[in-house]
Amino acid sequence: MDSATSETRTPLSASADNGLKIVVVGGFGAGKTTMVRSVSEIRPLNTEETMTQAGETVDDLRGVNGKTATTVAFDFGRITLDRRNVLYLFGAPGQQRFWFLWDRLFSGTLGAVVLVDTRRIDDSWYAIDRLEKRGTPFIVACNDFGGPAFTTQQIREALDLDPHVPLVTCDARSRESSKLVLITLVEHIQALYADPSRAPRQELV
């Protein structure tokens, strides 16, 4: 399995002039920082801070008791697609007290990945609701934490997902698995824009 931490520093080509933005959102401890780290070609920028006792009264630690650090602004990674196109990947903070940052991160976004921990599936509702209201294309990726197995239909019903929204499973620690998630998102966006009746109409901010 690939390491979640990338130590490579790949220089950006001087010919790259088209930046595409994707945001990874989801509940607290769903694996957003891990996914950005695993797939980025550069050492990712992150804003993780050590969790303290002061946060115990505001952060829901059910199922993530071993978590010692948390994102307080965003994570940032980069993937070069070709000589002219670069994908910029942003991981949004998961705690409710930082949700006010999400709309700014969504601005100019090509699409989003909603990362789900099926042990805390209700933590994903806010992300899906915000993306649907903004008209931002998204897919749902269930991160494998080794918990109880649920069928695709059970997860779709729990999240009240539109039938056209792709649902995949992944291991956010694996570079290859995370790449497949991003490929699924890009293919979904391409399919939406190929059908004018389903093309997203995003809010302007």
Side-chain angles (χ1 to χ4, degrees):
M1 181 177 295
D2 293 326
S3 169
T5 303
S6 171
E7 294 297 333
T8 59
R9 293 175 179 267
T10 305
L12 184 63
S13 170
S15 60
D17 58 4
N18 188 25
L20 307 172
K21 179 181 177 183
I22 284 178
V23 176
V24 182
V25 295
F28 178 49
K32 301 176 294 297
T33 297
T34 300
M35 175 169 281
V36 173
R37 284 177 178 171
S38 71
V39 79
S40 177
E41 68 187 12
I42 60 172
R43 182 181 299 167
L45 166 69
N46 65 65
T47 55
E48 281 199 314
E49 296 293 339
T50 301
M51 296 176 63
T52 66
Q53 290 183 337
E56 291 180 357
T57 59
V58 290
D59 293 329
D60 183 0
L61 300 179
R62 289 176 299 116
V64 291
N65 294 330
K67 190 172 175 60
T68 59
T70 186
T71 299
V72 296
F74 60 86
D75 304 302
F76 173 77
R78 189 190 77 204
I79 303 171
T80 300
L81 303 178
D82 54 41
R83 289 182 59 83
R84 300 188 67 88
N85 296 288
V86 179
L87 182 67
Y88 296 117
L89 195 61
F90 291 81
Q95 300 101 307
Q96 184 173 352
R97 55 196 165 111
F98 296 126
W99 284 352
F100 70 93
L101 296 170
W102 285 21
D103 283 341
R104 288 300 179 188
L105 284 176
F106 290 164
S107 180
T109 298
L110 181 67
V113 174
V114 178
L115 200 58
V116 172
D117 177 353
T118 55
R119 302 170 303 176
R120 298 158 54 100
I121 202 163
D122 54 335
D123 289 356
S124 309
W125 293 340
Y126 179 80
I128 292 173
D129 180 65
R130 292 305 306 154
L131 291 166
E132 288 179 340
K133 286 183 177 178
R134 290 184 62 89
T136 302
F138 69 93
I139 68 167
V140 173
C142 294
N143 195 10
D144 182 12
F145 285 95
F150 297 96
T151 67
T152 298
Q153 187 58 33
Q154 286 174 322
I155 296 172
R156 283 191 172 277
E157 290 177 357
L159 294 174
D160 193 24
L161 276 187
D162 185 287
H164 299 295
V165 174
L167 172 65
V168 299
T169 59
C170 70
D171 182 342
R173 299 168 297 178
S174 165
R175 181 185 300 274
E176 289 305 313
S177 183
S178 296
K179 283 171 61 177
L180 288 175
V181 171
L182 298 180
I183 289 170
T184 300
L185 173 60
V186 171
E187 290 176 344
H188 175 55
I189 294 169
Q190 289 177 329
L192 288 177
Y193 280 102
D195 182 352
S197 67
R198 294 173 56 204
R201 294 175 175 83
Q202 297 195 40
E203 289 182 1
L204 298 177
V205 293

